[in-house]
Amino acid sequence: MLHVSGTQLVTDDDTPVRLRGVGLGGWLNMENFITGYPANESSMRYAVRGVLGEERAELFFDRLLTSFFTEEDAALLAGLGMNCVRIPINYRHWESDDRPFEIDQRGFRHLDRVIGLLGEHGVYSVIDLHALPGAQNQHWHSDNPTHVAGLWQHRHFQDRAVHLWEVIADHYRDHPWVAGYNPVNEPGDLTGKVIGPFYDRLVKAVRAADPRHILFLDGNTYSTDFSIFREVYENTVFVLHDYALAGFAHGGPYPGYTRGEWCDRSELERTFAKRSRFQRETGTPLWVGEFGPVYSGDPAVDTQRYQILRDQLAIYDGQGVGWSLWTYKDVGLQGLVHASGPHLRRFGGFIAKKQRLGADRWGSTMEESADVLAPLHALIETEFPAWRPYPWGARYQSDDLIRHILIAQALLPEYAELFRGLGDDELTALADSFLLDRCVRREPLLDLLADNLGGATERSRIRRIR
C-alpha cells in the first residue's frame, strides 16, 4: 500500500513509486465526447430509457460497462509501462436523488472488477469521484445539466458526498492496489469560501473510515487554485491539472498563438511552474491528475499535438512528476484507442452533426455556426463589456449556455431515437464496439507513450502477436 513520504509516494518498504498512467474517462462517469452522446450523462440515460424501456436500457449500459474495460485493456496499459489508472466515477451508481443516503452496493460491482484486473497486472487505481451530488462544477463532466454547481450551495449535497466517501473508503480500506482517493474532481466553488471547510470535514470523515490510503485533493477552479487549503493534510497529494492551451480543440499552431496567447515549450514550463507552486512551497508530491491534447484528424495538426505531449512529458520527467493522461478510450477525439464497427456505423452521422454544431465543449473549436453565433457574441461583448462570469469569462460562458447546454439538450431526442427498433443482439453489438480487439489504436500515441514509459519492447511484442 502506498503512502506519502515528503515529496514522494513510497511503498511500505519505502520504495519510491512515481504514478504514471491514464484516466478511464467515459466509463463509470460517462462523457459526451467520449462515447458520442449529447449533453450530460443522466439526461442522456433518461432519453434512452424513454425509447428502450428500463430493462433493455439496463442491458445496453451494463454491457457497455463490461466491454469498455476488460483484462485485455489492463494488459495493454501495463505493457506500455503504466502503473496507474485514475478511475472517474459518478455518484449515481451508488445513490439515487430520490433516495438520498441509501447506498446501492451494486455500484461496486464493475469498480471492484476493474480495480482487481489492474492489480493483477501490477497497476494501481486512483478512485476519482467525477460527479458529486448537486454537481461540484459548472460543466457536463460532473453530470451537470445546468451551469450551476449546486454542491456548494446546499449542505444537503455536501452531507451526501461525505457519506458516500465514508462508504467507499470503508469498502477499499485494506485494498493494496488502490493508491488512494480523489474525492472531488475539478471543484468550482464560485465563492471560494465553502470548499475549504468542506475539505476539512471530508478529510476527517474519510480518515475515520480508512486511515491509511492516500488522499488526492484537487484545488478549486478546476484544480488550479490551491489557496483554499487551510492546512497541509498528512498523507495527501494536492492534484493539479495541466492542459496546454494550444492542445485544445480550439488550439492554434504549436509553437504559436491560441486566442491571442503564445504557447511553446518555454511557456509550457512557465505555466507548469505557476500551477505547481503550492506543491513546491509545501514540499508535497507533484502529480498531474489530467492533461493531454485533443487530436483533430489532420496529420499536420496532430503532429503538433504529439509534440505538445512530448514536451509536457519531458518537463514532468525532468522534475520527477507523476501524471495521468486524459483519456484512455473514446470515439476518436483523444483516446489511446477508439471504438469502431457497429457503434460508429450507427452514430457516426450524429457525431458529425454534433461536431458541426460544436455541441460538445471538449470537441468545439468555438467557431462552429459562426454566421449565427458571432453576432450574438459581438452583442454580448458590446452590451456587457464588464461581464466576467466564473470560471472562464464571457466568451466561454456564452458557448456553454448556447452550444453545450441549449443545443446539446435539443439533440437528446435525436440521439435516443437512434436506439429505436434495435434488438438485444444489436444493442450488444453496439456496446461491444468498445472491446479492445474491436477498437482502432492510435499507434503514434501508443508508441510515444511506450517510448516514454519504457514499454517499447512490449509494444513490439504486442504488434507481432496482432
Side-chain angles (χ1 to χ4, degrees), residues 351-398:
I351 292 170
K353 182 174 182 178
K354 283 202 306 169
Q355 292 172 336
R356 174 171 58 82
L357 295 170
D360 296 343
R361 168 72 177 268
W362 208 239
S364 173
T365 66
M366 301 179 69
E367 302 300 332
E368 298 90 351
S369 304
D371 57 331
V372 176
L373 295 183
L376 178 58
H377 290 310
L379 174 68
I380 292 172
E381 291 172 6
T382 300
E383 297 291 345
F384 315 107
W387 188 43
R388 299 288 186 273
Y390 181 89
W392 312 123
R395 181 63 175 81
Y396 288 94
Q397 183 86 324
S398 299

Short mmCIF file of all heavy atoms in Angstrom, two decimals, residues 351-398:
data_model
loop_
_atom_site.label_atom_id
_atom_site.label_comp_id
_atom_site.label_asym_id
_atom_site.label_seq_id
_atom_site.Cartn_x
_atom_site.Cartn_y
_atom_site.Cartn_z
N ILE A 351 -22.62 11.96 -34.59
CA ILE A 351 -21.40 12.55 -34.03
C ILE A 351 -20.90 13.66 -34.94
O ILE A 351 -20.45 14.72 -34.47
CB ILE A 351 -20.33 11.47 -33.82
CG1 ILE A 351 -20.78 10.51 -32.71
CG2 ILE A 351 -18.98 12.08 -33.49
CD1 ILE A 351 -19.91 9.27 -32.57
N ALA A 352 -21.00 13.45 -36.26
CA ALA A 352 -20.59 14.50 -37.20
C ALA A 352 -21.46 15.75 -37.05
O ALA A 352 -20.97 16.88 -37.17
CB ALA A 352 -20.65 13.97 -38.63
N LYS A 353 -22.75 15.56 -36.82
CA LYS A 353 -23.64 16.70 -36.60
C LYS A 353 -23.26 17.45 -35.33
O LYS A 353 -23.24 18.70 -35.32
CB LYS A 353 -25.09 16.23 -36.52
CG LYS A 353 -26.10 17.37 -36.34
CD LYS A 353 -27.53 16.86 -36.41
CE LYS A 353 -28.52 18.02 -36.27
NZ LYS A 353 -29.93 17.55 -36.39
N LYS A 354 -22.96 16.71 -34.27
CA LYS A 354 -22.50 17.37 -33.04
C LYS A 354 -21.26 18.20 -33.30
O LYS A 354 -21.13 19.33 -32.80
CB LYS A 354 -22.18 16.32 -31.97
CG LYS A 354 -23.38 15.72 -31.28
CD LYS A 354 -22.99 15.15 -29.92
CE LYS A 354 -21.84 14.17 -30.01
NZ LYS A 354 -21.30 13.82 -28.68
N GLN A 355 -20.33 17.65 -34.08
CA GLN A 355 -19.10 18.38 -34.39
C GLN A 355 -19.41 19.64 -35.20
O GLN A 355 -18.84 20.70 -34.96
CB GLN A 355 -18.14 17.47 -35.14
CG GLN A 355 -17.58 16.33 -34.30
CD GLN A 355 -16.78 15.34 -35.12
OE1 GLN A 355 -16.97 15.20 -36.33
NE2 GLN A 355 -15.88 14.63 -34.45
N ARG A 356 -20.32 19.51 -36.16
CA ARG A 356 -20.68 20.66 -36.99
C ARG A 356 -21.29 21.78 -36.17
O ARG A 356 -21.05 22.97 -36.43
CB ARG A 356 -21.66 20.20 -38.09
CG ARG A 356 -22.22 21.33 -38.95
CD ARG A 356 -22.99 20.78 -40.13
NE ARG A 356 -24.09 19.92 -39.76
CZ ARG A 356 -25.29 20.35 -39.39
NH1 ARG A 356 -25.54 21.67 -39.30
NH2 ARG A 356 -26.27 19.50 -39.10
N LEU A 357 -22.05 21.41 -35.14
CA LEU A 357 -22.69 22.39 -34.28
C LEU A 357 -21.82 22.83 -33.10
O LEU A 357 -22.15 23.79 -32.41
CB LEU A 357 -24.01 21.83 -33.74
CG LEU A 357 -25.09 21.55 -34.79
CD1 LEU A 357 -26.24 20.77 -34.16
CD2 LEU A 357 -25.58 22.84 -35.41
N GLY A 358 -20.71 22.11 -32.86
CA GLY A 358 -19.90 22.41 -31.69
C GLY A 358 -20.63 22.12 -30.40
O GLY A 358 -20.48 22.85 -29.41
N ALA A 359 -21.42 21.05 -30.38
CA ALA A 359 -22.28 20.77 -29.23
C ALA A 359 -21.52 20.29 -28.00
O ALA A 359 -22.00 20.45 -26.88
CB ALA A 359 -23.34 19.74 -29.62
N ASP A 360 -20.35 19.65 -28.21
CA ASP A 360 -19.55 19.17 -27.09
C ASP A 360 -18.48 20.20 -26.76
O ASP A 360 -17.68 20.57 -27.64
CB ASP A 360 -18.86 17.86 -27.44
CG ASP A 360 -19.84 16.73 -27.70
OD1 ASP A 360 -21.01 16.86 -27.32
OD2 ASP A 360 -19.42 15.71 -28.29
N ARG A 361 -18.41 20.63 -25.54
CA ARG A 361 -17.40 21.61 -25.14
C ARG A 361 -16.00 21.11 -25.49
O ARG A 361 -15.16 21.86 -25.98
CB ARG A 361 -17.51 21.88 -23.64
CG ARG A 361 -16.35 22.66 -23.02
CD ARG A 361 -16.36 24.12 -23.44
NE ARG A 361 -15.30 24.88 -22.80
CZ ARG A 361 -15.42 25.55 -21.65
NH1 ARG A 361 -16.56 25.52 -21.00
NH2 ARG A 361 -14.42 26.22 -21.16
N TRP A 362 -15.72 19.83 -25.22
CA TRP A 362 -14.36 19.33 -25.37
C TRP A 362 -13.96 19.15 -26.83
O TRP A 362 -12.78 19.08 -27.14
CB TRP A 362 -14.21 18.01 -24.63
CG TRP A 362 -12.81 17.76 -24.17
CD1 TRP A 362 -12.01 16.70 -24.50
CD2 TRP A 362 -12.03 18.55 -23.26
NE1 TRP A 362 -10.79 16.79 -23.87
CE2 TRP A 362 -10.79 17.93 -23.10
CE3 TRP A 362 -12.27 19.74 -22.58
CZ2 TRP A 362 -9.78 18.44 -22.29
CZ3 TRP A 362 -11.28 20.25 -21.77
CH2 TRP A 362 -10.06 19.61 -21.63
N GLY A 363 -14.90 19.13 -27.75
CA GLY A 363 -14.55 18.98 -29.15
C GLY A 363 -14.77 20.22 -29.98
O GLY A 363 -14.53 20.23 -31.18
N SER A 364 -15.20 21.31 -29.35
CA SER A 364 -15.58 22.51 -30.10
C SER A 364 -14.38 23.40 -30.39
O SER A 364 -13.53 23.63 -29.53
CB SER A 364 -16.63 23.30 -29.31
OG SER A 364 -16.90 24.54 -29.94
N THR A 365 -14.36 23.95 -31.60
CA THR A 365 -13.36 24.95 -31.97
C THR A 365 -13.79 26.35 -31.56
O THR A 365 -13.04 27.30 -31.75
CB THR A 365 -13.11 24.94 -33.48
OG1 THR A 365 -14.30 25.36 -34.16
CG2 THR A 365 -12.71 23.54 -33.96
N MET A 366 -15.00 26.48 -31.07
CA MET A 366 -15.63 27.76 -30.67
C MET A 366 -15.99 28.63 -31.88
O MET A 366 -16.36 29.79 -31.72
CB MET A 366 -14.72 28.55 -29.71
CG MET A 366 -14.38 27.80 -28.45
SD MET A 366 -13.30 28.71 -27.31
CE MET A 366 -14.40 30.02 -26.74
N GLU A 367 -15.88 28.07 -33.07
CA GLU A 367 -16.20 28.84 -34.28
C GLU A 367 -17.31 28.21 -35.11
O GLU A 367 -17.66 28.72 -36.17
CB GLU A 367 -14.94 29.00 -35.14
CG GLU A 367 -13.77 29.67 -34.43
CD GLU A 367 -14.10 31.08 -33.94
OE1 GLU A 367 -14.98 31.74 -34.56
OE2 GLU A 367 -13.51 31.51 -32.94
N GLU A 368 -17.86 27.08 -34.66
CA GLU A 368 -18.93 26.44 -35.42
C GLU A 368 -20.15 27.35 -35.50
O GLU A 368 -20.44 28.09 -34.55
CB GLU A 368 -19.32 25.10 -34.76
CG GLU A 368 -18.20 24.08 -34.72
CD GLU A 368 -17.35 24.15 -33.47
OE1 GLU A 368 -17.52 25.12 -32.69
OE2 GLU A 368 -16.52 23.24 -33.26
N SER A 369 -20.87 27.28 -36.60
CA SER A 369 -22.07 28.10 -36.83
C SER A 369 -21.79 29.58 -36.57
O SER A 369 -22.62 30.30 -36.00
CB SER A 369 -23.24 27.62 -35.95
OG SER A 369 -23.51 26.26 -36.16
N ALA A 370 -20.62 30.03 -37.01
CA ALA A 370 -20.20 31.41 -36.74
C ALA A 370 -21.16 32.43 -37.35
O ALA A 370 -21.35 33.52 -36.79
CB ALA A 370 -18.78 31.63 -37.25
N ASP A 371 -21.76 32.09 -38.49
CA ASP A 371 -22.67 33.05 -39.13
C ASP A 371 -23.87 33.36 -38.24
O ASP A 371 -24.44 34.46 -38.29
CB ASP A 371 -23.14 32.50 -40.48
CG ASP A 371 -23.81 31.15 -40.38
OD1 ASP A 371 -23.46 30.38 -39.46
OD2 ASP A 371 -24.67 30.85 -41.23
N VAL A 372 -24.25 32.40 -37.39
CA VAL A 372 -25.38 32.59 -36.50
C VAL A 372 -24.94 33.14 -35.14
O VAL A 372 -25.56 34.06 -34.59
CB VAL A 372 -26.14 31.27 -36.30
CG1 VAL A 372 -27.26 31.43 -35.28
CG2 VAL A 372 -26.67 30.75 -37.63
N LEU A 373 -23.86 32.58 -34.60
CA LEU A 373 -23.49 32.89 -33.22
C LEU A 373 -22.55 34.08 -33.07
O LEU A 373 -22.56 34.74 -32.02
CB LEU A 373 -22.85 31.65 -32.58
CG LEU A 373 -23.78 30.44 -32.42
CD1 LEU A 373 -23.06 29.30 -31.72
CD2 LEU A 373 -25.03 30.81 -31.66
N ALA A 374 -21.75 34.38 -34.09
CA ALA A 374 -20.82 35.50 -33.97
C ALA A 374 -21.54 36.82 -33.66
O ALA A 374 -21.06 37.60 -32.81
CB ALA A 374 -19.98 35.63 -35.23
N PRO A 375 -22.67 37.12 -34.29
CA PRO A 375 -23.37 38.36 -33.92
C PRO A 375 -23.82 38.39 -32.46
O PRO A 375 -23.80 39.45 -31.82
CB PRO A 375 -24.58 38.38 -34.87
CG PRO A 375 -24.15 37.57 -36.04
CD PRO A 375 -23.30 36.48 -35.46
N LEU A 376 -24.20 37.22 -31.93
CA LEU A 376 -24.60 37.17 -30.52
C LEU A 376 -23.40 37.44 -29.60
O LEU A 376 -23.50 38.18 -28.63
CB LEU A 376 -25.23 35.82 -30.20
CG LEU A 376 -25.65 35.60 -28.75
CD1 LEU A 376 -26.65 36.67 -28.30
CD2 LEU A 376 -26.25 34.22 -28.57
N HIS A 377 -22.26 36.83 -29.93
CA HIS A 377 -21.06 37.08 -29.13
C HIS A 377 -20.68 38.56 -29.21
O HIS A 377 -20.28 39.16 -28.19
CB HIS A 377 -19.90 36.22 -29.65
CG HIS A 377 -20.07 34.76 -29.38
ND1 HIS A 377 -20.37 34.27 -28.13
CD2 HIS A 377 -19.96 33.68 -30.19
CE1 HIS A 377 -20.46 32.94 -28.19
NE2 HIS A 377 -20.20 32.56 -29.43
N ALA A 378 -20.80 39.15 -30.38
CA ALA A 378 -20.48 40.58 -30.52
C ALA A 378 -21.44 41.44 -29.70
O ALA A 378 -21.03 42.44 -29.09
CB ALA A 378 -20.55 40.97 -32.00
N LEU A 379 -22.72 41.06 -29.69
CA LEU A 379 -23.70 41.79 -28.90
C LEU A 379 -23.33 41.75 -27.40
O LEU A 379 -23.38 42.77 -26.71
CB LEU A 379 -25.08 41.18 -29.11
CG LEU A 379 -26.22 41.74 -28.24
CD1 LEU A 379 -26.52 43.19 -28.62
CD2 LEU A 379 -27.47 40.87 -28.37
N ILE A 380 -22.97 40.56 -26.91
CA ILE A 380 -22.61 40.42 -25.50
C ILE A 380 -21.38 41.25 -25.17
O ILE A 380 -21.32 41.93 -24.14
CB ILE A 380 -22.40 38.93 -25.16
CG1 ILE A 380 -23.75 38.19 -25.24
CG2 ILE A 380 -21.78 38.78 -23.77
CD1 ILE A 380 -23.63 36.70 -25.10
N GLU A 381 -20.38 41.22 -26.05
CA GLU A 381 -19.16 42.00 -25.81
C GLU A 381 -19.46 43.50 -25.80
O GLU A 381 -18.87 44.25 -25.01
CB GLU A 381 -18.14 41.68 -26.90
CG GLU A 381 -17.57 40.27 -26.82
CD GLU A 381 -16.70 39.94 -28.03
OE1 GLU A 381 -16.46 40.85 -28.85
OE2 GLU A 381 -16.26 38.78 -28.14
N THR A 382 -20.39 43.93 -26.65
CA THR A 382 -20.70 45.35 -26.75
C THR A 382 -21.57 45.83 -25.59
O THR A 382 -21.31 46.87 -24.97
CB THR A 382 -21.42 45.65 -28.08
OG1 THR A 382 -20.57 45.27 -29.16
CG2 THR A 382 -21.77 47.13 -28.19
N GLU A 383 -22.61 45.07 -25.29
CA GLU A 383 -23.59 45.50 -24.29
C GLU A 383 -23.16 45.20 -22.85
O GLU A 383 -23.59 45.88 -21.93
CB GLU A 383 -24.93 44.82 -24.57
CG GLU A 383 -25.56 45.20 -25.91
CD GLU A 383 -26.04 46.64 -25.94
OE1 GLU A 383 -26.16 47.26 -24.85
OE2 GLU A 383 -26.29 47.16 -27.04
N PHE A 384 -22.30 44.17 -22.68
CA PHE A 384 -21.93 43.76 -21.32
C PHE A 384 -20.41 43.62 -21.21
O PHE A 384 -19.90 42.54 -20.87
CB PHE A 384 -22.61 42.44 -20.96
CG PHE A 384 -24.07 42.39 -21.34
CD1 PHE A 384 -24.49 41.61 -22.41
CD2 PHE A 384 -25.00 43.14 -20.64
CE1 PHE A 384 -25.83 41.57 -22.77
CE2 PHE A 384 -26.34 43.10 -20.99
CZ PHE A 384 -26.77 42.33 -22.06
N PRO A 385 -19.66 44.67 -21.49
CA PRO A 385 -18.20 44.56 -21.52
C PRO A 385 -17.58 44.22 -20.17
O PRO A 385 -16.45 43.72 -20.12
CB PRO A 385 -17.77 45.95 -21.99
CG PRO A 385 -18.89 46.86 -21.62
CD PRO A 385 -20.12 46.04 -21.79
N ALA A 386 -18.27 44.47 -19.09
CA ALA A 386 -17.72 44.19 -17.75
C ALA A 386 -18.11 42.82 -17.22
O ALA A 386 -17.72 42.45 -16.10
CB ALA A 386 -18.19 45.27 -16.77
N TRP A 387 -18.86 42.04 -17.99
CA TRP A 387 -19.32 40.73 -17.53
C TRP A 387 -18.17 39.74 -17.52
O TRP A 387 -17.57 39.46 -18.56
CB TRP A 387 -20.45 40.23 -18.43
CG TRP A 387 -21.14 38.99 -17.96
CD1 TRP A 387 -21.52 38.70 -16.69
CD2 TRP A 387 -21.54 37.87 -18.76
NE1 TRP A 387 -22.14 37.48 -16.63
CE2 TRP A 387 -22.17 36.95 -17.90
CE3 TRP A 387 -21.43 37.57 -20.12
CZ2 TRP A 387 -22.68 35.73 -18.36
CZ3 TRP A 387 -21.95 36.37 -20.58
CH2 TRP A 387 -22.56 35.46 -19.70
N ARG A 388 -17.83 39.21 -16.36
CA ARG A 388 -16.75 38.24 -16.22
C ARG A 388 -17.24 37.03 -15.42
O ARG A 388 -16.88 36.84 -14.26
CB ARG A 388 -15.55 38.87 -15.51
CG ARG A 388 -14.92 40.04 -16.21
CD ARG A 388 -14.14 39.61 -17.46
NE ARG A 388 -13.43 40.74 -18.06
CZ ARG A 388 -13.96 41.57 -18.94
NH1 ARG A 388 -15.24 41.40 -19.31
NH2 ARG A 388 -13.27 42.56 -19.45
N PRO A 389 -18.10 36.21 -16.00
CA PRO A 389 -18.66 35.09 -15.25
C PRO A 389 -17.60 34.05 -14.90
O PRO A 389 -16.67 33.80 -15.65
CB PRO A 389 -19.72 34.52 -16.20
CG PRO A 389 -19.25 34.91 -17.56
CD PRO A 389 -18.59 36.24 -17.40
N TYR A 390 -17.77 33.44 -13.73
CA TYR A 390 -16.92 32.34 -13.28
C TYR A 390 -17.29 31.09 -14.07
O TYR A 390 -18.48 30.85 -14.35
CB TYR A 390 -17.16 32.12 -11.79
CG TYR A 390 -16.35 31.03 -11.15
CD1 TYR A 390 -15.11 31.30 -10.61
CD2 TYR A 390 -16.84 29.73 -11.09
CE1 TYR A 390 -14.36 30.30 -9.99
CE2 TYR A 390 -16.10 28.72 -10.48
CZ TYR A 390 -14.86 29.02 -9.93
OH TYR A 390 -14.12 28.03 -9.34
N PRO A 391 -16.34 30.24 -14.48
CA PRO A 391 -14.92 30.34 -14.15
C PRO A 391 -14.04 30.92 -15.25
O PRO A 391 -12.92 31.34 -14.96
CB PRO A 391 -14.54 28.86 -13.93
CG PRO A 391 -15.43 28.11 -14.88
CD PRO A 391 -16.73 28.88 -14.92
N TRP A 392 -14.48 30.99 -16.52
CA TRP A 392 -13.55 31.31 -17.60
C TRP A 392 -13.92 32.54 -18.41
O TRP A 392 -13.35 32.77 -19.47
CB TRP A 392 -13.38 30.11 -18.55
CG TRP A 392 -13.13 28.81 -17.85
CD1 TRP A 392 -13.86 27.67 -17.96
CD2 TRP A 392 -12.06 28.50 -16.94
NE1 TRP A 392 -13.32 26.67 -17.17
CE2 TRP A 392 -12.22 27.16 -16.53
CE3 TRP A 392 -10.99 29.25 -16.43
CZ2 TRP A 392 -11.36 26.55 -15.64
CZ3 TRP A 392 -10.13 28.63 -15.52
CH2 TRP A 392 -10.31 27.30 -15.14
N GLY A 393 -14.91 33.30 -18.00
CA GLY A 393 -15.22 34.54 -18.68
C GLY A 393 -16.37 34.44 -19.66
O GLY A 393 -16.95 33.37 -19.90
N ALA A 394 -16.69 35.58 -20.29
CA ALA A 394 -17.91 35.73 -21.08
C ALA A 394 -17.93 34.87 -22.33
O ALA A 394 -18.96 34.26 -22.66
CB ALA A 394 -18.11 37.20 -21.45
N ARG A 395 -16.82 34.84 -23.06
CA ARG A 395 -16.84 34.11 -24.34
C ARG A 395 -17.10 32.62 -24.12
O ARG A 395 -17.90 32.00 -24.84
CB ARG A 395 -15.51 34.32 -25.07
CG ARG A 395 -15.43 33.60 -26.42
CD ARG A 395 -16.48 34.16 -27.41
NE ARG A 395 -16.32 33.56 -28.72
CZ ARG A 395 -16.79 32.37 -29.06
NH1 ARG A 395 -17.46 31.64 -28.17
NH2 ARG A 395 -16.61 31.89 -30.28
N TYR A 396 -16.45 32.04 -23.13
CA TYR A 396 -16.65 30.62 -22.84
C TYR A 396 -18.04 30.38 -22.24
O TYR A 396 -18.70 29.39 -22.57
CB TYR A 396 -15.58 30.12 -21.87
CG TYR A 396 -14.21 30.00 -22.50
CD1 TYR A 396 -13.29 31.04 -22.42
CD2 TYR A 396 -13.84 28.85 -23.19
CE1 TYR A 396 -12.03 30.93 -22.99
CE2 TYR A 396 -12.58 28.72 -23.76
CZ TYR A 396 -11.68 29.77 -23.67
OH TYR A 396 -10.44 29.66 -24.25
N GLN A 397 -18.50 31.28 -21.39
CA GLN A 397 -19.82 31.12 -20.77
C GLN A 397 -20.92 31.15 -21.83
O GLN A 397 -21.88 30.37 -21.77
CB GLN A 397 -20.05 32.22 -19.73
CG GLN A 397 -21.37 32.11 -18.98
CD GLN A 397 -21.26 31.20 -17.76
OE1 GLN A 397 -20.54 30.20 -17.79
NE2 GLN A 397 -21.96 31.55 -16.71
N SER A 398 -20.78 32.04 -22.80
CA SER A 398 -21.79 32.13 -23.86
C SER A 398 -21.88 30.82 -24.63
O SER A 398 -22.97 30.32 -24.92
CB SER A 398 -21.45 33.28 -24.80
OG SER A 398 -21.44 34.51 -24.12
#
